[in-house]
Amino acid sequence: MNEEELAELLKYSNPKELYVVAWNNVLELLFCPFEVVVLHEIGALKKGERLEVEAVKVTIELKTVYEISGQLYYYNYFDIIIDEN
């Protein structure tokens, strides 16, 4: 995918929203900031640490990344915490 195609695709996305399928098979819309827990130590982040995702973005290869404290991290280092209320 080239930059032009990516720009076209991103016109229809919002970096402050993320759709997820919850544990009970229900599609939920999360709004930033939402909470995640670190699964694997990465950089200064420690396993088990709870953090807030400021924005959700994609790389040119269409890999999802989270913006946390101004830094970008691949989504697979985290589990999303969904409030059950």
Side-chain angles (χ1 to χ4, degrees):
M1 171 172 289
N2 64 35
E3 289 182 20
E4 206 171 280
E5 292 168 327
L6 180 60
E8 179 67 23
L9 177 67
L10 292 179
K11 285 192 326 189
Y12 304 103
S13 69
N14 182 342
K16 297 293 183 179
E17 298 177 346
L18 178 67
Y19 282 96
V20 297
V21 178
W23 63 272
N24 55 354
N25 260 358
V26 174
L27 186 64
E28 294 193 26
L29 175 59
L30 301 180
F31 295 96
C32 292
F34 59 87
E35 197 172 20
V36 294
V37 62
V38 180
L39 294 175
H40 310 285
E41 197 166 299
I42 175 96
L45 306 181
K46 304 294 181 213
K47 182 178 178 177
E49 189 175 357
R50 293 182 118 173
L51 305 164
E52 285 191 342
V53 173
E54 301 161 357
V56 179
K57 301 181 179 191
V58 294
T59 66
I60 193 79
E61 297 86 17
L62 295 180
K63 294 181 181 175
T64 303
V65 293
Y66 295 155
E67 183 177 342
I68 299 172
S69 300
Q71 299 291 314
L72 297 175
Y73 300 94
Y74 289 113
Y75 77 98
N76 55 300
Y77 288 106
F78 307 93
D79 255 350
I80 296 172
I81 299 170
I82 298 177
D83 189 11
E84 299 292 325
N85 296 332

